[in-house]
Amino acid sequence: MGKMPSYLAMKTDPAGTASEAAQALIQSDLRELGAATKKLANHAILLGGGLGFGLGSSLFKWLAFIAAVYLLILDKTNWKTNILTGLLVPYIFFTLPGVLFNLIRGEVGCWIAFVAVVLRLFFPKHFPVVAPSLFADKFRNDIIGVGVCLVIGCYLLQEHINASGGFRAAFSKAKGVSNTIGIVLLFVYPVWAFVLYLP
């Protein structure tokens, strides 16, 4: 009788057609996985800028800074929240964008400091002491500053979720949604910065 036609051959036939099909399927899956990984890396490099913090991190830094200032202003107005605003001040210091920080540390900063010293003479409880250079030069753009921001963001997010009555309630109450979005932004920047710091 001779050789069977290939259309009659069984899939479990030891001729190797089944193992060849499985190998081809595995190879196809690995190629797709490689392409997806390559796209992910390209998008991360584009978002991260490839050099240091890049565009993505500076965008997150600006958003976190704006969210912290928003939450601080919101707490100081009639919208009283249960946020510890004392934690927002160091967060604002560590996330203050470089352009604003250099402006405040330059000539404009000298005049602001002069006015603050004069005002402190008359209102000592309303104008606290300025930050020392150690914090401004060493910790601000370092992993330590990002770690402080991460701890503050985690703590404020956890406290806000507990005060709202759970994660779902934090996003469903009309009054707390803007607070929740602001606090989530406080959490996102340091997480992204840590991802970029990792080798």
Side-chain angles (χ1 to χ4, degrees):
M1 283 196 117
K3 190 175 174 185
M4 290 179 124
S6 64
Y7 61 87
L8 291 178
M10 296 190 59
K11 297 282 185 192
T12 59
D13 207 16
T17 57
S19 74
E20 289 173 6
Q23 284 291 351
L25 186 60
I26 289 172
Q27 290 297 327
S28 171
D29 288 346
L30 289 176
R31 276 193 303 275
E32 288 179 19
L33 183 63
T37 304
K38 191 174 186 179
K39 285 182 182 178
L40 176 66
N42 286 337
H43 290 154
I45 288 171
L46 286 176
L47 187 59
L51 300 170
F53 283 106
L55 176 66
S57 185
S58 59
L59 175 68
F60 286 140
K61 192 174 199 176
W62 273 96
L63 289 175
F65 168 72
I66 291 169
V69 170
Y70 167 74
L71 290 169
L72 188 64
I73 291 171
L74 192 66
D75 190 64
K76 296 298 180 185
T77 59
N78 293 334
W79 291 80
K80 291 292 182 189
T81 60
N82 293 330
I83 297 174
L84 289 171
T85 55
L87 292 176
L88 289 175
V89 173
Y91 193 95
I92 290 171
F93 173 74
F94 284 121
T95 60
L96 189 66
V99 173
L100 296 176
F101 188 76
N102 291 333
L103 180 75
I104 292 172
R105 294 258 334 223
E107 283 290 320
V108 174
C110 291
W111 283 104
I112 292 172
F114 175 72
V115 171
V117 167
V118 170
L119 288 174
R120 186 170 168 80
L121 290 173
F122 297 106
F123 307 105
K125 292 184 180 180
H126 295 288
F127 293 97
V129 179
V130 293
S133 293
L134 173 70
F135 290 111
D137 296 335
K138 299 289 182 192
F139 299 147
R140 202 175 151 275
N141 288 325
D142 195 34
I143 193 78
I144 297 171
V146 173
V148 169
C149 290
L150 182 63
V151 168
I152 291 171
C154 288
Y155 179 74
L156 291 176
L157 184 63
Q158 179 262 337
E159 285 295 316
H160 178 68
I161 289 172
N162 283 344
S164 298
F167 190 75
R168 185 173 293 171
F171 283 101
S172 62
K173 291 181 182 176
K175 184 181 176 186
V177 172
S178 65
N179 293 352
T180 304
I181 292 172
I183 293 173
V184 166
L185 285 173
L186 295 182
F187 177 72
V188 167
Y189 160 68
V191 169
W192 180 253
F194 265 125
V195 166
L196 288 179
Y197 268 122
L198 295 177

